[in-house]
Amino acid sequence: MLNREVLIDGLSEGEKLGAEYVELRFQDKYLANFQYRDGEFVNTTGSREGVCVRALVDGSWALASTNKTEREDIIRTVQKAVKLARGSAPSKEKKIILAEVDIVEDKVISPRKIDLREISVDEKIQRISEAAKKAQDFPLVKSLTINYNEIVDKRIVVTNEGTRVEWEDMKPTLMAFAVAIDEGKMANGYVSWSHTCGAEFFDWHPIDDMVEQASNKASKLTKATLPPAGVQSILLDPQLVGVLAHEAIGHTAEADLVVAGSFTQGKIGKKVCDERITLVDVPFKEGSKWMGAGWLPYDDEGVKGKETKIVTNGIMTEYMTNRAFASELGIEPSGNARAYTFADEPIVRMRNTFIEPGDMSLEELSEAIGDGYVLKSLMNGQADSSSEFMFGVVEAFAIKNGEITDEIFQGPVFTGNAFEVLSNIIGIGKDFDINLGSGFCGKEQPAKVDGGGPHIAVKAMLAGGN
Amino acid sequence: MSDFPLYDIAKRSIEIGLSLGADQIESYVIYGSLRSVQLEKGSIHHFTDTSSSGIGVRVIKDKSIGMSSTTVFSSDSIEETVKNAYSLAKVSPPDPNFSSLPLDKRESPKIKDLYDQEIVDLSVEDFSEMVQETIQEAKVREDAVIGGRFTAGYGKRLILNSLGVERETSQTSVGGYIQVKVLDGDDIGNSYYGDTATQMKKLDHIEIGMLAGERSLKMLGSKKIKTTNLPVLLDPESAYGTISPIIGTGIDAFNVFNKTAFFVDKVGDRIATDKLTIVDDPFYEGGTDSAGFDDEGVVPKKLTIVKNGILQTFITDSYSAPLVGMENTGHASRASFASRPTPSLYALQIKNGETSKDEMLSDLKEGILLIDSSIAGMGDNPQVSAQINQGFYVKNGEIQYPVKNTVIGTTVFEILENLEMLSKEIEDRNGHIAPWMKLAPMRISGGK
């Protein structure tokens, strides 16, 4: 672990060179990925260690990073950042001002019962090998992939304003993907989980259970057809609600995209969807069954994370932001500036994004739907800054006469405009789960995020159906 | 360029691996940096200069494979990384499908124009000026919201393995991507354009700004259309963006072996109409994806992939070639220094047809025109549900209006079977070559 004093020396160098603001971030990220596919393993481990320097000179930003962590390397990188910022200042039309924040000094370790590193690599690989055998119970399953990913991330952020924060988080991710083939018809089954936790993860989500679930889904789906295309009454499971909250709404409320003209620009204080909808992004959620994979007590500008109420009772209320956009928009920094590795710049990202529960039971929701479909789990998808989205769903079940049946359908494509969909609410469940699956968001650089909510019944479009 | 003795580091990692007891070991080193300029609201927001360096080690012990990587180039770190990879190989089950790391000592062809000192030496002032000029071009209206990013990078790639492969090359790239948004009340015109080159002189930054701006105006006035079946006309960017991932995923020998490729057992069979002929060219001068050797150090060949609709070959690397009974075509590619290589295409050249693009449009009685908006699927799923990012409704050969909330539902097979016509004009974007392409009617799902 790097000596923090070396970073402090870097701050002094930046100030000496005339920077108004200097920030150094040391990061040591351990990554492990064990991937099983049909008997073969691809196993990797890795370390991403280095220092990122950001300097503000004459209202102009620059960032430089180095994978060398000796004192002279860090000083050189500070000099480079200051030079870049100063060099680009004349071409800058508008000076960058950082919103004021509390100066903090803190050290945080993410919640865990058993350190992931207490279970050897050997044992993890053994567990995956053993679990894979479960697929043999499903004769239609022709291919099985299990992917286990582990991140242990240590960071130190220091600023010339006086902030000194250190934190370490631990985030395992597990995914099981089965392909079944029956009489030439192929179907996929997919299950994934990720939390901020330790090795207790494997007790919550035994690998063989996940293999069984994925295999079972794929096998059943070989006999399934697509539901009819068109506008339908739909019950979304918490994962799809989380995906809608994150992909189709959340991104449009990230300050950088707001400033670039996303759907939510100019919408603060205005009604954007049904008044039963409250949608938030939080650094962590106390009291939920497990800690979301987006756990982030401080962001990469050293700002303490706060809850961002994006939509409150159907009214657009807050954006997620970093310090520069907070100043530009006249709002409070929310602790959403995040970078994946030391070589990445902190950009506005979500953490744990979800819709607050309502008051209806699953039975009441089904009854309110009458005839329709319950959609479960995300397979793939895309959304844009105007809130238009298209999500491929893993599976669907028919709802008939107000009851969820066992009649299974292939996952259709769920599409539309997220704010329109959330304006056509039939009902909101009182249940809650946080589960965005593997929890990787890919806006320019990866980030561990999470999302969820209750079951929500809506009127929406199913495309790609029969 | 580098103050690290990169060759010595790679060589040392091989020696450490062998001394630990590895049967084979490979060291893959990337050393470089990427400078970028981020734009926001029509002006330069900030500069970055970031490291893209790292070393990845692959160790084989008793047919078991372990990989480890690091960004720290110190002796201690390299030693620890090799030890981690070796330990991982020791605890991993043997991979019966693994044959050997490659041995290729053929001379690697020298490809012209892959490195440009002008990009390495690009000053902050010149970089700023180029970006400012682009912004001016993109500013089609005073209220246009302009964003984007320009990058300039260089990298050295070094590959050594214990069988004697030793390769080293350097490459540069410069590129820009501009997004422009214009608003007329609630009407949003949103568009983009980007390009990348290996030579400073080949990047037309003025064109990037101009096209992004012009296209944003054309996207105003979008309408929903009814769900129906319509022919689809793809511009060269859409055509390349559609065909390249279908072919790349469909003929990847690793996917073929796992029976998840689109074209398993299809070599020698028809996979498209006879209009389609595709060549993969690793040696295109100044090509952004050109390389004299692949990511395992194997020298590739210029390959005909599809000839008159008949599939000619799969693409392989050292791992997958024996599995499909083929020679190694030198298509190993890594997403990063930490990744295991898998087969991947270089740059496709899709052969042109005989009709002019203007005729193709004027003969379209009713259809959808796609501009830089591909209809590829996701991964190895042959089902395609592609949201149209930039599409126009065409009636009697005339563009009527941009479409919104529109999805094309099809399969990768149907796309190739529906290929009716190719234009005689082609577009060559630094080795990515494609004509205009017309597809027979397919399912277009409109909005509500």
Side-chain angles (χ1 to χ4, degrees):
Chain A
M1 190 81 170
L2 179 90
N3 181 352
R4 200 168 84 175
E5 292 311 308
V6 180
L7 299 178
I8 307 298
D9 291 348
L11 294 177
S12 305
E13 179 70 14
E15 285 189 320
K16 194 178 84 188
L17 294 170
E20 298 135 41
Y21 173 80
V22 199
E23 164 199 295
L24 275 81
R25 169 168 46 93
F26 166 77
Q27 196 172 349
D28 177 8
K29 192 177 199 116
Y30 166 80
L31 304 151
N33 190 268
F34 308 137
Q35 181 174 306
Y36 166 95
R37 181 168 168 176
D38 303 331
E40 298 156 20
F41 270 92
V42 178
N43 297 328
T44 66
T45 60
S47 150
R48 304 287 172 273
E49 184 181 325
V51 173
C52 178
V53 179
R54 289 203 307 169
L56 192 61
V57 181
D58 299 334
S60 178
W61 256 140
L63 172 152
S65 69
T66 176
N67 56 341
K68 296 177 253 179
T69 53
E70 297 297 322
R71 188 181 179 282
E72 60 270 29
D73 302 317
I74 291 169
I75 297 293
R76 222 176 7 240
T77 308
V78 171
Q79 291 164 348
K80 193 192 273 184
V82 173
K83 187 181 167 197
L84 271 178
R86 181 163 285 131
S88 60
S91 60
K92 191 130 188 70
E93 287 179 10
K94 199 168 136 195
K95 289 188 187 306
I96 286 173
I97 300 166
L98 299 181
E100 293 203 357
V101 290
D102 292 338
I103 304 307
V104 280
E105 193 151 347
D106 200 2
K107 191 171 180 177
V108 192
I109 302 284
S110 68
R112 72 205 53 174
K113 288 180 183 152
I114 307 157
D115 193 311
L116 281 171
R117 293 163 292 194
E118 283 181 28
I119 297 185
S120 69
V121 166
D122 189 5
E123 188 175 339
K124 286 169 191 154
I125 292 170
Q126 281 298 327
R127 286 188 188 186
I128 294 169
S129 283
E130 279 302 310
K133 292 176 186 165
K134 200 76 187 168
Q136 291 166 6
D137 297 345
F138 298 85
L140 298 181
V141 171
K142 304 299 178 204
S143 176
L144 174 74
T145 301
I146 304 171
N147 197 329
Y148 172 72
N149 184 291
E150 177 175 301
I151 296 174
V152 181
D153 205 350
K154 296 175 196 165
R155 296 176 194 229
I156 306 173
V157 176
V158 299
T159 72
N160 66 327
E161 296 168 333
T163 282
R164 310 279 184 266
V165 287
E166 291 182 34
W167 70 97
E168 181 197 275
D169 61 41
M170 186 170 279
K171 299 180 177 181
T173 305
L174 191 58
M175 181 273 278
F177 180 76
V179 181
I181 301 174
D182 188 19
E183 295 174 356
K185 191 174 170 194
M186 192 163 86
N188 300 329
Y190 179 61
V191 184
S192 59
W193 284 100
S194 183
H195 305 307
T196 300
C197 66
E200 59 275 17
F201 180 83
F202 298 107
D203 298 328
W204 296 336
H205 309 293
I207 310 176
D208 53 353
D209 280 3
M210 288 181 61
V211 171
E212 186 173 1
Q213 287 169 35
S215 302
N216 192 29
K217 281 183 192 201
S219 302
K220 284 186 175 169
L221 286 168
T222 56
K223 294 166 187 67
T225 56
L226 281 161
V231 177
Q232 307 276 5
S233 295
I234 295 167
L235 184 57
L236 301 170
D237 78 347
Q239 183 173 99
L240 289 169
V241 168
V243 174
L244 199 67
H246 174 97
E247 290 291 349
I249 305 269
H251 282 302
T252 71
E254 291 171 330
D256 52 342
L257 298 180
V258 172
V259 168
S262 73
F263 176 85
T264 65
Q265 189 186 63
K267 297 278 197 305
I268 294 289
K270 293 184 179 162
K271 188 169 189 298
V272 287
C273 60
D274 189 287
E275 63 189 16
R276 288 169 284 179
I277 295 292
T278 292
L279 193 155
V280 299
D281 179 76
V282 298
F284 46 84
K285 182 165 169 60
E286 298 286 4
S288 56
K289 196 158 43 171
W290 26 63
M291 187 58 75
W295 181 90
L296 193 77
Y298 294 94
D299 73 2
D300 288 313
E301 294 183 323
V303 176
K304 191 173 172 65
K306 75 171 193 78
E307 179 183 79
T308 309
K309 284 210 163 192
I310 298 166
V311 176
T312 310
N313 301 325
I315 309 289
M316 190 76 204
T317 38
E318 286 184 312
Y319 299 132
M320 294 163 285
T321 186
N322 60 13
R323 293 182 65 184
F325 283 114
S327 167
E328 187 173 340
L329 296 169
I331 58 178
E332 195 185 332
S334 54
N336 285 82
R338 301 182 65 181
Y340 190 62
T341 73
F342 71 91
D344 295 315
E345 60 172 312
I347 57 172
V348 182
R349 308 298 297 266
M350 277 170 270
R351 300 157 303 186
N352 307 285
T353 316
F354 54 85
I355 292 178
E356 297 278 14
D359 56 5
M360 292 173 78
S361 68
L362 207 51
E363 291 73 23
E364 287 168 333
L365 287 169
S366 310
E367 210 167 290
I369 281 182
D371 291 324
Y373 299 90
V374 51
L375 306 188
K376 291 191 172 184
S377 306
L378 179 80
M379 180 64 83
N380 50 39
Q382 61 186 77
D384 64 24
S385 65
S386 63
S387 255
E388 301 291 334
F389 70 89
M390 198 182 68
F391 300 142
V393 174
V394 174
E395 59 186 346
F397 292 88
I399 301 173
K400 286 182 180 168
N401 299 321
E403 284 192 10
I404 298 173
T405 69
D406 292 335
E407 192 182 349
I408 190 168
F409 289 85
Q410 284 175 23
V413 172
F414 167 43
T415 183
N417 176 289
F419 286 101
E420 284 178 22
V421 168
L422 293 181
S423 298
N424 288 305
I425 296 284
I426 298 169
I428 302 179
K430 59 185 175 188
D431 60 327
F432 182 85
D433 199 3
I434 187 159
N435 168 24
L436 210 55
S438 62
F440 275 104
C441 172
K443 178 187 169 186
E444 296 179 33
Q445 40 177 286
K448 287 299 288 183
V449 297
D450 220 329
H455 278 83
I456 298 185
V458 294
K459 277 260 184 207
M461 180 79 179
L462 295 185
N466 286 329
Chain B
M1 183 190 293
S2 114
D3 53 357
F4 293 116
L6 292 184
Y7 177 84
D8 294 349
I9 285 172
K11 191 78 182 165
R12 178 76 190 124
S13 66
I14 302 287
E15 288 164 4
I16 294 169
L18 292 175
S19 71
L20 287 169
D23 298 332
Q24 294 184 349
I25 174 167
E26 174 195 63
S27 190
Y28 181 90
V29 185
I30 290 287
Y31 184 81
S33 79
L34 185 72
R35 285 177 292 157
S36 76
V37 185
Q38 191 74 36
L39 311 184
E40 265 165 27
K41 292 174 81 179
S43 84
I44 289 176
H45 189 263
H46 66 270
F47 272 77
T48 67
D49 185 334
T50 55
S51 160
S52 53
S53 307
I55 176 166
V57 174
R58 181 161 52 148
V59 165
I60 291 92
K61 175 70 181 169
D62 298 330
K63 286 199 146 225
S64 295
I65 304 167
M67 293 192 294
S68 192
S69 60
T70 182
T71 52
V72 180
F73 283 57
S74 69
S75 299
D76 288 350
S77 170
I78 301 300
E79 187 167 340
E80 193 186 334
T81 302
V82 177
K83 282 181 176 169
N84 285 341
Y86 181 73
S87 303
L88 213 45
K90 290 267 283 179
V91 299
S92 296
D95 182 347
N97 295 321
F98 178 81
S99 293
S100 172
L101 291 176
L103 171 59
D104 184 0
K105 292 196 171 181
R106 286 174 295 169
E107 197 176 337
S108 158
K110 297 276 174 286
I111 305 166
K112 279 173 67 181
D113 297 340
L114 296 189
Y115 185 87
D116 181 7
Q117 193 61 36
E118 206 183 325
I119 294 174
V120 181
D121 295 339
L122 184 65
S123 68
V124 178
E125 292 76 18
D126 288 347
F127 208 171
S128 294
E129 192 182 331
M130 178 171 77
V131 173
Q132 300 281 15
E133 287 173 359
T134 312
I135 292 169
Q136 282 313 311
E137 287 299 320
K139 208 166 193 170
V140 282
R141 288 193 343 199
E142 274 308 305
D143 61 346
V145 182
I146 300 163
R149 189 172 186 234
F150 271 71
T151 57
Y154 71 86
K156 181 177 273 195
R157 184 171 60 124
L158 184 72
I159 305 168
L160 265 66
N161 78 22
S162 56
L163 300 181
V165 164
E166 291 195 357
R167 306 277 190 196
E168 185 176 336
T169 186
S170 294
Q171 193 160 341
T172 51
S173 76
V174 60
Y177 177 82
I178 292 284
Q179 285 173 294
V180 182
K181 177 179 264 193
V182 287
L183 294 167
D184 277 346
D186 286 341
D187 189 8
I188 301 172
N190 206 347
S191 191
Y192 47 82
Y193 190 73
D195 202 7
T196 307
T198 55
Q199 302 275 297
M200 205 67 212
K201 63 180 182 228
K202 284 191 177 173
L203 185 77
D204 189 345
H205 63 282
I206 298 293
E207 184 185 50
I208 292 174
M210 196 177 70
L211 277 175
E214 282 176 2
R215 287 178 174 183
S216 69
L217 292 176
K218 288 180 181 163
M219 291 305 291
L220 283 168
S222 65
K223 294 180 187 174
K224 293 177 181 179
I225 57 167
K226 285 182 183 164
T227 297
T228 181
N229 286 349
L230 288 175
V232 179
L233 183 58
L234 296 89
D235 78 335
E237 284 144 2
S238 309
Y240 194 94
T242 299
I243 296 296
S244 179
I246 293 175
I247 298 297
T249 310
I251 64 168
D252 171 338
F254 186 66
N255 292 342
V256 169
F257 174 72
N258 285 304
K259 309 282 186 204
T260 56
F262 302 140
F263 307 118
V264 177
D265 301 328
K266 293 288 183 192
V267 171
D269 290 355
R270 178 169 298 286
I271 61 162
T273 62
D274 60 5
K275 306 276 189 285
L276 190 67
T277 292
I278 303 173
V279 170
D280 184 36
D281 186 1
F283 307 133
Y284 187 89
E285 288 181 4
T288 44
D289 293 323
S290 294
F293 55 90
D294 74 359
D295 276 345
E296 293 183 309
V298 174
V299 178
K301 279 190 279 202
K302 186 171 177 175
L303 279 183
T304 299
I305 305 281
V306 178
K307 190 171 183 183
N308 300 329
I310 310 293
L311 182 63
Q312 304 294 309
T313 184
F314 298 131
I315 51 171
T316 65
D317 57 5
S318 72
Y319 184 88
S320 60
L323 303 179
V324 294
M326 278 180 60
E327 66 170 17
N328 186 342
T329 59
H331 280 80
S333 171
R334 300 179 201 243
S336 82
F337 57 84
S339 312
R340 176 180 173 164
T342 54
S344 178
L345 295 165
Y346 290 89
L348 296 185
Q349 300 172 351
I350 303 171
K351 197 176 169 226
N352 55 338
E354 291 164 354
T355 318
S356 81
K357 65 181 168 72
D358 293 340
E359 262 179 79
M360 286 168 76
L361 179 61
S362 61
D363 288 349
L364 196 61
K365 288 199 167 46
E366 188 182 14
I368 300 291
L369 167 67
L370 300 184
I371 302 293
D372 203 353
S373 185
S374 71
I375 45 174
M378 291 194 189
D380 54 13
N381 186 350
Q383 298 289 334
V384 176
S385 286
Q387 192 163 329
I388 298 178
N389 293 326
Q390 254 176 181
F392 298 86
Y393 177 70
V394 177
K395 181 97 179 168
N396 297 325
E398 300 281 338
I399 295 171
Q400 304 294 316
Y401 48 80
V403 296
K404 65 175 173 183
N405 294 3
T406 307
V407 173
I408 296 181
T410 181
T411 67
V412 297
F413 309 112
E414 193 181 50
I415 289 170
L416 299 182
E417 285 159 12
N418 279 15
L419 207 167
E420 278 186 341
M421 204 181 284
L422 296 165
S423 71
K424 61 185 175 194
E425 299 90 347
I426 52 159
E427 190 171 283
D428 177 354
R429 294 184 69 178
N430 297 306
H432 293 195
I433 298 173
W436 291 68
M437 191 175 271
K438 187 189 167 199
L439 303 177
M442 48 182 57
R443 191 73 175 161
I444 313 286
S445 298
K448 283 179 275 185

